[in-house]
Structure formats: C-alpha cells, structure tokens
Amino acid sequence: MTDVQPAPTGRRARGGADARRAARTSTAIRQAGFIRRKIKLYEPFSDEQLELIERNAETVLQETGIDFYEDEEAVAMWKNAGADVKVSEKDPRRFRVRFPKGLVRSLIKTAPREYTQYARNPENNVVIGGNNTVFAPVYGPPFIRNLDEGRRYATIEDFRNFAKLVYMLPSLHHAGGTLCEPVDIPVAKRHLDMTYTHIKYSDKPFMSSVTAGERAADSVAMCELLFGKEFVDQNCVMTSLINANSPMVWDGVMLGALKVLARANQACVISPFIVAGAMSPTTTVGTLTQILAEASVGIAFTQLCRPGAPVVFGTFAASMSMQSGAPTFGTPEPALVTFGAAQLARRMGVPFRSGGGLCGSKIPDAQAAYESSNTLWPTLLSGVNFCLHAAGWLEGGLASGYEKLIMDADQLSMFQKFCEGADFTENGQAMDAIAEVGPGSHYLGSTHTQANFETAFWRSGLADNNSFEQWRDDGEKDIVVRANTRWKKLLSDYEAPALDPGIDESLTEFMAKRKAVLPDSVS
Amino acid sequence: MTDVQPAPTGRRARGGADARRAARTSTAIRQAGFIRRKIKLYEPFSDEQLELIERNAETVLQETGIDFYEDEEAVAMWKNAGADVKVSEKDPRRFRVRFPKGLVRSLIKTAPREYTQYARNPENNVVIGGNNTVFAPVYGPPFIRNLDEGRRYATIEDFRNFAKLVYMLPSLHHAGGTLCEPVDIPVAKRHLDMTYTHIKYSDKPFMSSVTAGERAADSVAMCELLFGKEFVDQNCVMTSLINANSPMVWDGVMLGALKVLARANQACVISPFIVAGAMSPTTTVGTLTQILAEASVGIAFTQLCRPGAPVVFGTFAASMSMQSGAPTFGTPEPALVTFGAAQLARRMGVPFRSGGGLCGSKIPDAQAAYESSNTLWPTLLSGVNFCLHAAGWLEGGLASGYEKLIMDADQLSMFQKFCEGADFTENGQAMDAIAEVGPGSHYLGSTHTQANFETAFWRSGLADNNSFEQWRDDGEKDIVVRANTRWKKLLSDYEAPALDPGIDESLTEFMAKRKAVLPDSVS
C-alpha cells in the first residue's frame, strides 16, 4: 500500500513553512479515516465471464469505435498513438476513433494501481485504490431539500453549509466537489467560490471544477497557492469527475478538463454515465461491455496526456423506468453492473469508482433509504475505492438533502465498522466469557462484556432504539426529524479549521482577479 | 435438488381425492415461486476460521454443556445417547448435559441437506435448502401498526388480514406462522384459529404452533385432516420455529413442541435467539461459537426424536444498545454473524434460517428501511434458505406493520431478481445492439431494447419514479402512503383460494371439539 505521508511545505510566501503546515492541519474534528477493508470482496462474475466482456469491449473499440467531439487535439493525439481516425461526414467537429487490438490496454499500463490524494490536513490524506474505500458526498444537484424549506434552488450558502457538514462528519473521508450548484453565482465564476469554500471551510481532500478546461486550470492554480506549485506537479491534490457522454462519446468540455488535470498530475475519475436502456443496452453484460470500452479509452487518454497520471475507472449506472424513461435506483441490475465493473477495474489494475447512496425518491423516506442501501451494499462489497454520492443524494441527483446527508453518513459509519470484519483473537473468541457465564445466565455483567463495553457494537447516531413508550413521549419523531436537529446542531457548533492567513489572502486575490475578467452571463 | 412434487391425495373422506386436490390447488394469484439463486454466495470467513469456531463449540459442549429444563424425557434421551447428565443442586427440574466429543455431530448426520415443504397448492411447495431462499413474513408481534390507527394490540381480524395479504404477495413464498398474536382469543385456543386461518385463507406453506407440545399436536392433527395422515407422516407440511433459551438452555415448552413435530416428521427451525452482549458474548466469533453449540444440540435432538426428520439450523442475532440494553438491528455485527452462521450450517450439511427485514424503528420510516436492507442484503448473500420476518417487521418484532409488509415485499421482489444474476447469452451480450446504435445515439428505439422492453429491469411496485412536478401534483406522497393504499386495495380484491368444503367442515369440527375442552384463562 502507498504510504500516506503528510503533504510537504506549501508555497514559499507569507510566513514559515512549519507554521503554515501547523495552521493547515489543526482541526478539532475527530475523523474516522478512510476504510481499509479487512473483509473479502464479493465477486459474482467468473474469470471466463469477465474475459468475454473484455473481448467484446475490444471488438467494440475496433469495429464500432468511440466518437471524440469538439477536441481536435485529442483526435490528433489518438492518431499519433496509432488509432484509426475518421471525421464525420455530417459534422466536422465529430471524429470516429477506432482502436487497433491491444492499443488501449497497452496505454493503460502506465496508470498507477493506487495513489494518495493529499489534503491540507495530512491526517485527511486518502489512498485511493487497493483495499480502501473513500466516501465522498453528493455531487452536482441544482436543488437542495430540507425539512424546513422543502425543495428550492441551491445557493452558495447551501454549498458552504454542506462543506461544513461534510467536514464535521467523520464517515465522509473526502469533501467532494459540487456539493450543490450555487445558482446565485454566475456559471463562469462559481467554480472559484466552490474551490475556495472547500479549501477555507474544510481540510479534507476535494475535487476540481471540470465544467471547462480553464475552470479546471483555476482549480489547479488555487491548489498551487495552497500546496505549492512543485508539490502539486508531483502529487495528487484533487480527484475529479470526468463523465463520458454515453453511448461512446467523449466531448470537448470533459476532454478539456481531463487534459488540464491529467497534465497537472491530478486524478481523473473516468466515468461512463449510464442509464441502461437509454445510454447502454438494457442488459447487464451489454452495459458492462460498453462501460469497459468507454472507460478504458478515457483512462488510456489520461496516460496519453501524462503517463503515470493517477486515474480511476468510474461507473455510474442506473436502470430506467421503461414506462416513464426516468432513471431508477436501488434496483438489481445496476447492482450487478457495479459488481462486474469493479472486477473489470481490478483486472485492469486501476482504482474503481462507483456506487453511493443513490435513490429516486424526492424525500428522505423509506423509499430513499431502501434504494440507498441497495446501492451502498454493492458499493462496499464490490470493493469500490472512491465512492461519490455516498451521502446526501435525493431525487435522482437533482437535490442535495440536508437530512439525507446526515442519515446516509450514519449508515456509512455502519459500513465502516462492517469492513473491519470479525475479531479472531482470544478476546474475540470469548471462550472464557462463555465458560464464566454458562447456561441460563446472562452476559451483561460478565468480565468480558465489561471489558468490551465501549467498542462492542457499532452505534447509530440517529436510530431510535428506545422503548415504544419513550419514543412516544419524545414526540413520535421519525429519523428525518432527528436528522434535522442534528445538522442544525452541527452547523451551530462548526468551527473552521485554521488556514494560514497568507494563503487565504492569496486565494482571495486570485479569485478577485479571475472574477474581474470572467463574464457574468456565460453558461 | 429435491424434486418438488404435488402433495398426493389428502384424507379419505367427503368427496373424491382428485376433486379435493383440484379444490386445494386453485388460485387466482400468480406466485413468483421461491428463489433459486443463480449468483454466488458471499463467504467472508475462511475454512480455518470456521474450523476454529467448530473446535471452540465442541469445547463448550464438552466442558460447559447445555441445560435442559423441565423435560426429563429429553434428558433421558441424551443419557441414552451417551451424554453426561447432572441434575442441578438448586433446581431438580434443571439438568446440565455435557456431550462427549463428536457425539452431537454424529447424530446430525441423519438430517437431510434439504427438504420439500408441501403446500395445499402444489405450485406453492417450497424446497428448503441448497441454492434456494424462501421468504416468510414477520412472526410473533403482539401489536400491529398501520397508518390509519397507529399502534394497537393485534386481533384475529388482523391475523386474517395479514394471511390474506401474504397470500396475495408473490414475493412471500411462505405463509409464515404467528403473523401477529390474536390477543382477542384465549391463549390456549388461538393456535387453532391461526392454523385454520393459514389453511382457509391461503394456499401457501405455513408453520405450526409451538407454544406447547399439545398445541403443536393440534397443528399436526389439522394438517392430517388437510393432507391425509399418512402423507403428513411421510412428508413435511409444516416448518416451525423452535427457539433456544439462550445462553445454552433448551426448555420444556420448546422441547415439547420439538418432540411432537420431529416425531411427526415435520421440520423444526432450531434457532438460538441472541441479543449479543446479553444472551451471548459481545463478539462475533464468541456469538457464533455459542450459536453453533446451541443449534447443533437442538438439531441433534431432532434426530434423536426421529432420525431423518427435516431440520433447519436457525440463527436470530441482534446487537444490543450498550446504553439502554435494547436490541438493535441493521448493525454490522449481526450481519457478520449471519454470514458466519450460514457458512457453519453449510459445513454441517443442513438448511439455514436467518435474517429478515429486521428493524428497531417504531414506524416504517427511513430508519426502518435502512435497517431492514442492512439485514436483507446479508440474508440473500449469505445464502439463507428460510427467511422468517422477511416482511412486515417493526419495532424489534413488537409490531406487525401493514404498510411495512407491503414495502418489504416490494424489496423482496428486488432481491429475487438480483439472485437471477446476469444473462451471458448472445442477447445478454447485446453486441448487435451496441453496433446498431453506435456512438452519440440512444438505445430507446433500438431493436434490442424493443425486444427486451418488458423484462429488462426489475420494477418496483411502490417506488415513485415520476418527475418532481408529477410527484408534487400527486400530493407529495411518501412510500408509506402509497403502501397504505396498496394493502387496502389488495384486501378489497382478495378472493379466498377454494378449499374442499368437506375438509373445511372437518377442520371446523376439530377446532370446536378442542375449544370445548381448552380453558379460556390459561396463559
């Protein structure tokens, strides 16, 4: 396993390096650390089945090909690498790229099996890959929902609230990226506020803006102010989401961000975004084939940009309501896709991203919980290394839920304990306890129970396990009401992790300069 | 796999055998059939770890022993079998039984690896064991809960309602037993009404009363009226729950029912009932050791009663709130226990019972759903063969939930689809579809999607996957409201499966005779 070492000294300005490091790292929040899985994986597919999918994906790459759209540089790079490139007769911006057998696989060989993403607090560094699982919150919704206000458009204040909450929730190991879309800030500028918020209000690792190459470049520049330019060039400080335009298209927007990030040695999560039945075949094996073809081309492309750049095999898969066309979550078919894609990623030798607490429900009711659990179990047992949307996701990704964030985070801590597996030491075997207590008695006061009392069982921070009468007298609250109380308490208790004032000032200056030249109107 | 064959002719009275069979079997309800799992199991424990637990359990049986309480016949049977028996100095009704190495294991060898439980409708016969999972509803709560009335004591009308609903829900393969306690009927008599309700209002396989040996005998007698005496002696028509009095006690009430049922060739589910920390050590491995010791003695005892009698290795495990002492559900430790016990049962060569849709929540909110899912995933992936409490469980088993029953059943159908695994046929590979659609298009109208439209994805019968706007205009219903509508519709649509009037009359006569001699006051 890659050693997790503290990030070294940041940029050379405004005060001593040691002081800045200390300032970057202080935090009152006790974090759980990412999951180092001690239990086995669940691998439902056989080697023969996976080989079949790999052969089929090779066939797709050779015969059908992948379209590159609005990025001539990328097309030229593929041509140089030996791919067959044909421009579309209908659209000169569209190129069909076909890949000779083995080309894509051979390019992927330079990708690392795992990598460390550094946080400004080295205690929050994460190792992505191997037996590890890193949980990151919901990404992308334009709306928020909470019990008080219902559903409304998100603002930068919501974004800050979510950043603060994620910072305070130990089971979220990663700060994520677009916690919600701050629609009150112009599109061309909001990536600056989001990146700044992640740096200022949290000290966990975070994600880059990817909505344009120049916005990704701004994220890199801000990281250089925080960590130092040389450090950023040699180490991963952002893991960022690059979605394929399925089926089988990589477009200029995503490629633009990918090129900036990979060349800056920053990790790209190469993610086919699939609603099966619409963006892929209706079947699990057909979907896996397409995912493998799309992802492997994106992964290979990061290595064309910079061999050795960290990269993650991503998969986002939903099924589709064949009645309404809406994506559906918590269903069995995406679960199988997750298990299969995880196995394919391990065979490829790169970290894997999938899963999350996905649901279609508009509200954090039992539908949301069933669906989220049905996504989280496959996430954990398949061996997902980087889990985006692990908490806070509602309404098919259209809303970030305040209560849902708290509820899911509680579940994540359950999974974290599960991944520790069983203790087979003498204390775990408890033979003395069984002999001491014997038939017809109870273990409550036994030596063994007393000794293991504190850590014996995972304890939910939200579940009500009181008697019916106690629960009734407490006002018959459901879990959403308790979660509502919890996030408000967390926000009122929040204290920002210290940030070197010099760094803070340089970031603020950078933002002001960029905002001065960026338009308010561009989308 | 055991062939599932129709139950032969019932008792010789009141009309032709063929007519009766036809009458017994007619049903308007389309059932899903039990799960024949095509996917792999998840087996987190290694052979070495399981061998350690087995050795430790042998040590417990040899050195600590198991108490038999208020059943001198059972004690004498163990003495004859070669066990060491000592009466308690404090209580002459209590005997400590210690087992020479290997005795218990050798007795278990006559137990079948799997067995068929016959239903009056042969289409609903179930094979318990092997790659199969059979879902049965909640068992035992004294209360019911629904959205209209909240929580109140259960009545025989509730019991009938649950029997009707379970009959109509295809994902419940088994009618279960004490769907709720009909507290409006005297304790000594209610087993008759419950058994009759299962026979009359459903045609799925069901469970015996076990609250006393004579009540189990009444269940057997009623089955003899339904299936014929000889058939019952040679075939399993009831699978029934025999709980250990953990830690390490088998008491006279459970042993009384066990003896009647095993001698009648009826299946006993031998279930340690564990709230870890109180009834077993706090640790997973210690709990598994005790479960194995308790279960193997109970299983062996069924074989002392009648070698070859069908028997199931059962496990009910909850963790405990170390604050309040309340059992907690959906936690990681019981999940590990379920996986471990399933592996131990397979090594023993008998079917396994555990899991369910367990939760501590008082209401069917997101807490209930998270916790239920956290129990159901281990249920399915561990390879549980007989899953009691699969639907309708609330409040740690104190309440049967009308809406929860419907909600869980919907989830069970999800798991049933998941267990089918992925299709690797040409149609499943969908290579033609990928080639036909190609980059930048969509699959909605493709030949392949059209051909697979109907069965492509599992479809929830309860989840709302409409747009936000549609959902809002429909009244912002949560899943509980939809489930409430559903069970009322099911009950209003209910039609009883035909039952031969002669059999019905004989059952009614039997009940009347028994009720005439049974007391109203005895508990």
Side-chain angles (χ1 to χ4, degrees):
Chain A
M1 188 196 287
T2 308
D3 264 351
V4 179
Q5 292 171 348
T9 307
R11 59 188 275 277
R12 307 249 156 239
R14 297 190 179 92
D18 287 349
R20 279 207 311 286
R21 188 185 311 139
R24 278 204 312 266
T25 64
S26 70
T27 170
I29 303 295
R30 192 192 210 107
Q31 303 294 351
F34 56 86
I35 293 176
R36 290 138 171 113
R37 193 182 51 252
K38 291 181 191 157
I39 54 163
K40 285 184 192 172
L41 296 172
Y42 177 60
E43 300 197 301
F45 295 100
S46 69
D47 285 345
E48 293 69 30
Q49 290 172 330
L50 298 167
E51 282 160 16
L52 174 69
I53 292 169
E54 287 167 350
R55 278 199 307 276
N56 285 349
E58 271 289 354
T59 302
V60 170
L61 293 179
Q62 288 173 67
E63 297 179 6
T64 300
I66 301 284
D67 275 9
F68 279 70
Y69 186 64
E70 288 194 322
D71 191 331
E72 295 199 17
E73 185 194 15
V75 173
M77 289 163 73
W78 275 117
K79 201 166 184 175
N80 283 343
D84 173 71
V85 172
K86 285 198 178 60
V87 67
S88 163
E89 286 172 15
K90 292 179 192 158
D91 183 348
R93 298 166 300 173
R94 180 180 291 276
F95 294 83
R96 177 72 46 93
V97 183
R98 291 185 178 82
F99 306 84
K101 189 172 179 181
L103 171 63
V104 168
R105 283 267 159 182
S106 75
L107 287 170
I108 290 172
K109 282 180 187 158
T110 53
R113 298 189 76 84
E114 61 182 46
Y115 67 93
T116 298
Q117 180 183 349
Y118 291 85
R120 74 174 171 103
N121 179 353
E123 285 175 21
N124 292 335
N125 293 350
V126 292
V127 180
I128 293 176
N131 288 324
N132 306 329
T133 297
V134 172
F135 288 130
V138 60
Y139 184 105
F143 299 100
I144 63 95
R145 171 176 285 279
N146 62 45
L147 200 53
D148 310 283
E149 300 170 283
R151 180 204 204 238
R152 59 163 171 74
Y153 274 107
T155 65
I156 189 67
E157 193 188 338
D158 294 307
F159 190 98
R160 270 196 295 267
N161 285 341
F162 276 95
K164 291 174 181 176
L165 291 170
V166 170
Y167 164 67
M168 296 179 85
L169 291 166
S171 56
L172 287 162
H173 316 118
H174 197 284
T178 309
L179 301 165
C180 56
E181 282 284 349
V183 300
D184 51 343
I185 298 180
V187 168
K189 298 178 178 178
R190 65 174 72 142
H191 65 287
L192 298 163
D193 297 272
M194 290 195 278
T195 303
Y196 178 74
T197 300
H198 278 304
I199 294 173
K200 171 84 174 173
Y201 294 98
S202 181
D203 61 6
K204 294 186 180 182
F206 58 89
M207 303 173 80
S208 170
S209 172
V210 293
T211 51
E214 68 167 2
R215 295 175 196 158
D218 283 341
S219 296
V220 172
M222 291 174 80
C223 282
E224 289 172 348
L225 294 174
L226 176 65
F227 290 99
K229 200 168 170 120
E230 197 182 330
F231 185 80
V232 170
D233 184 63
Q234 295 302 312
N235 296 283
C236 176
V237 297
M238 293 186 293
T239 294
S240 308
L241 184 61
I242 304 294
N243 280 334
N245 200 336
S246 303
M248 294 173 280
V249 177
W250 285 103
D251 66 41
V253 171
M254 288 285 109
L255 290 168
L258 182 158
K259 287 187 293 189
V260 167
L261 293 167
R263 284 168 179 157
N265 205 23
Q266 300 308 304
C268 292
V269 182
I270 304 296
S271 282
F273 181 96
I274 302 278
V275 178
M279 284 116 100
S280 79
T282 55
T283 59
T284 295
V285 179
T287 296
L288 282 168
T289 302
Q290 186 184 309
I291 285 172
L292 180 58
E294 293 173 352
S296 58
V297 164
I299 292 166
F301 187 65
T302 64
Q303 302 304 298
L304 280 181
C305 292
R306 177 162 168 165
V311 60
V312 178
F313 183 141
T315 297
F316 178 95
S319 49
M320 190 178 66
S321 162
M322 299 302 264
Q323 285 68 50
S324 69
T328 54
F329 300 92
T331 51
E333 298 83 10
L336 288 166
V337 168
T338 298
F339 284 114
Q343 289 187 262
L344 291 167
R346 278 191 291 279
R347 287 168 63 93
M348 190 184 282
V350 294
F352 179 60
R353 171 256 159 161
S354 192
L358 309 182
C359 64
S361 187
K362 285 79 187 165
I363 49 175
D365 64 348
Q367 178 186 336
Y370 282 128
E371 292 174 345
S372 297
S373 277
N374 291 346
T375 316
L376 284 170
W377 274 94
T379 300
L380 265 291
L381 291 182
S382 71
V384 163
N385 300 119
F386 182 67
C387 174
L388 200 55
H389 312 308
W393 166 291
L394 276 177
E395 204 191 317
L398 285 175
S400 296
Y402 277 81
E403 289 84 15
K404 181 73 165 23
L405 181 81
I406 303 293
M407 291 158 58
D408 287 337
D410 187 54
Q411 289 297 300
L412 299 180
S413 76
M414 188 286 292
F415 283 107
Q416 184 137 10
K417 179 78 188 293
F418 179 77
C419 288
E420 291 178 12
D423 169 16
F424 275 84
T425 64
E426 255 186 48
N427 183 63
Q429 292 178 52
M431 288 297 280
D432 288 350
I434 296 174
E436 174 192 329
V437 172
S441 182
H442 67 76
Y443 288 79
L444 291 172
S446 74
T447 317
H448 187 265
T449 296
Q450 293 298 314
N452 290 277
F453 183 92
E454 288 292 343
T455 57
F457 303 112
W458 172 77
R459 190 195 314 175
S460 167
L462 277 183
D464 184 296
N465 289 308
N466 292 328
S467 69
F468 170 78
E469 290 73 17
Q470 181 71 49
W471 170 80
R472 186 193 56 202
D473 296 347
D474 288 347
E476 304 202 343
K477 290 173 188 153
D478 81 6
I479 192 173
V480 184
V481 175
R482 298 191 294 273
N484 180 268
T485 305
R486 182 68 47 84
W487 68 257
K488 289 175 179 168
K489 176 78 165 65
L490 283 172
L491 283 186
S492 85
D493 290 348
Y494 171 83
E495 287 179 39
L499 179 65
D500 179 282
I503 291 177
D504 198 353
E505 198 183 316
S506 67
L507 289 166
T508 312
E509 280 171 16
F510 177 86
M511 286 171 67
K513 270 190 215 163
R514 291 290 295 141
K515 286 195 174 184
V517 298
L518 289 170
D520 278 344
S521 56
V522 171
S523 67
Chain B
M1 189 195 285
T2 308
D3 264 351
V4 180
Q5 292 172 346
T9 306
R11 60 188 272 279
R12 308 248 155 243
R14 296 189 179 94
D18 287 347
R20 277 206 312 285
R21 188 185 312 136
R24 278 202 312 268
T25 64
S26 68
T27 170
I29 302 294
R30 191 190 210 109
Q31 304 294 351
F34 57 87
I35 293 176
R36 291 136 170 116
R37 193 181 52 251
K38 289 180 191 159
I39 55 164
K40 284 185 192 173
L41 296 172
Y42 178 60
E43 301 197 302
F45 296 99
S46 69
D47 285 345
E48 294 68 29
Q49 291 172 330
L50 298 167
E51 282 160 17
L52 174 70
I53 292 169
E54 287 168 350
R55 279 199 306 278
N56 284 349
E58 273 287 356
T59 303
V60 170
L61 293 179
Q62 288 173 67
E63 296 179 7
T64 300
I66 301 282
D67 276 8
F68 279 71
Y69 185 64
E70 289 195 320
D71 192 332
E72 294 199 21
E73 185 193 15
V75 173
M77 288 163 73
W78 275 116
K79 201 166 184 176
N80 283 343
D84 173 70
V85 173
K86 282 196 180 60
V87 67
S88 163
E89 287 172 15
K90 290 179 194 160
D91 183 347
R93 296 166 301 174
R94 181 179 289 277
F95 293 82
R96 178 70 47 93
V97 184
R98 292 185 177 82
F99 307 84
K101 190 172 178 181
L103 171 64
V104 168
R105 284 267 160 181
S106 76
L107 287 171
I108 290 172
K109 283 180 186 159
T110 53
R113 297 190 76 86
E114 60 181 48
Y115 66 91
T116 298
Q117 180 183 347
Y118 291 85
R120 76 172 170 102
N121 179 352
E123 286 175 21
N124 292 335
N125 294 351
V126 291
V127 180
I128 293 177
N131 288 322
N132 306 328
T133 297
V134 172
F135 288 131
V138 59
Y139 183 103
F143 299 99
I144 64 94
R145 172 176 285 279
N146 62 46
L147 200 53
D148 310 282
E149 300 170 282
R151 179 204 205 238
R152 59 163 171 74
Y153 275 107
T155 65
I156 189 67
E157 192 187 338
D158 293 307
F159 189 98
R160 269 195 296 266
N161 285 341
F162 276 94
K164 291 174 181 176
L165 291 170
V166 170
Y167 164 67
M168 295 178 86
L169 291 166
S171 56
L172 286 162
H173 316 119
H174 196 284
T178 309
L179 301 165
C180 54
E181 281 285 349
V183 300
D184 52 342
I185 298 180
V187 169
K189 297 179 178 178
R190 65 174 71 142
H191 65 287
L192 298 163
D193 296 272
M194 292 196 278
T195 304
Y196 177 73
T197 300
H198 278 305
I199 295 173
K200 171 85 173 175
Y201 293 98
S202 181
D203 61 7
K204 294 186 180 182
F206 59 90
M207 302 172 80
S208 169
S209 172
V210 292
T211 51
E214 69 168 0
R215 295 176 196 157
D218 283 342
S219 296
V220 172
M222 291 173 81
C223 281
E224 288 172 349
L225 294 174
L226 177 65
F227 290 100
K229 198 167 173 125
E230 196 182 333
F231 185 80
V232 170
D233 183 65
Q234 294 303 312
N235 296 283
C236 176
V237 296
M238 294 187 292
T239 294
S240 308
L241 183 61
I242 305 292
N243 280 333
N245 199 337
S246 302
M248 295 173 277
V249 177
W250 284 104
D251 66 39
V253 171
M254 287 286 109
L255 290 168
L258 182 157
K259 288 187 293 189
V260 166
L261 292 168
R263 284 169 179 157
N265 206 21
Q266 300 308 304
C268 292
V269 181
I270 303 296
S271 281
F273 181 97
I274 301 278
V275 178
M279 284 115 99
S280 79
T282 56
T283 59
T284 295
V285 179
T287 297
L288 282 168
T289 302
Q290 185 183 310
I291 285 171
L292 180 58
E294 293 173 353
S296 58
V297 165
I299 292 166
F301 187 64
T302 64
Q303 302 303 299
L304 281 182
C305 292
R306 177 162 169 165
V311 61
V312 177
F313 184 141
T315 297
F316 179 95
S319 49
M320 189 177 67
S321 162
M322 298 301 265
Q323 287 66 51
S324 69
T328 54
F329 300 91
T331 52
E333 298 83 10
L336 287 167
V337 168
T338 297
F339 284 114
Q343 289 187 261
L344 291 167
R346 278 191 291 279
R347 287 169 62 92
M348 190 184 282
V350 294
F352 180 60
R353 171 256 160 160
S354 193
L358 309 183
C359 65
S361 186
K362 285 78 186 166
I363 49 176
D365 64 349
Q367 177 186 335
Y370 283 128
E371 292 174 343
S372 297
S373 277
N374 290 346
T375 317
L376 284 171
W377 274 94
T379 300
L380 266 289
L381 292 183
S382 71
V384 163
N385 299 120
F386 182 68
C387 175
L388 200 55
H389 312 309
W393 166 290
L394 277 176
E395 205 191 318
L398 285 175
S400 296
Y402 277 82
E403 288 84 15
K404 182 71 164 26
L405 182 82
I406 303 294
M407 291 158 59
D408 288 336
D410 188 53
Q411 289 297 299
L412 299 181
S413 76
M414 189 285 292
F415 283 106
Q416 184 138 10
K417 180 80 190 291
F418 179 77
C419 288
E420 290 177 12
D423 169 17
F424 276 84
T425 64
E426 256 188 48
N427 184 61
Q429 293 178 54
M431 288 297 280
D432 288 350
I434 296 173
E436 175 192 327
V437 172
S441 181
H442 67 76
Y443 289 80
L444 291 172
S446 74
T447 316
H448 187 265
T449 296
Q450 294 298 314
N452 290 276
F453 182 91
E454 289 290 343
T455 57
F457 303 113
W458 172 76
R459 190 194 316 175
S460 167
L462 277 182
D464 184 297
N465 290 308
N466 291 329
S467 68
F468 169 79
E469 290 73 18
Q470 182 71 49
W471 170 79
R472 186 193 56 203
D473 296 347
D474 288 346
E476 303 203 342
K477 289 174 189 153
D478 81 7
I479 191 173
V480 184
V481 175
R482 297 192 295 272
N484 180 268
T485 305
R486 183 69 47 85
W487 68 256
K488 289 175 179 168
K489 176 78 166 67
L490 283 171
L491 283 186
S492 87
D493 289 349
Y494 171 82
E495 287 180 39
L499 179 65
D500 179 284
I503 291 177
D504 198 352
E505 196 183 319
S506 67
L507 289 166
T508 313
E509 279 171 17
F510 177 85
M511 286 171 66
K513 268 191 214 163
R514 291 291 295 143
K515 285 194 174 184
V517 297
L518 289 169
D520 278 344
S521 56
V522 172
S523 68

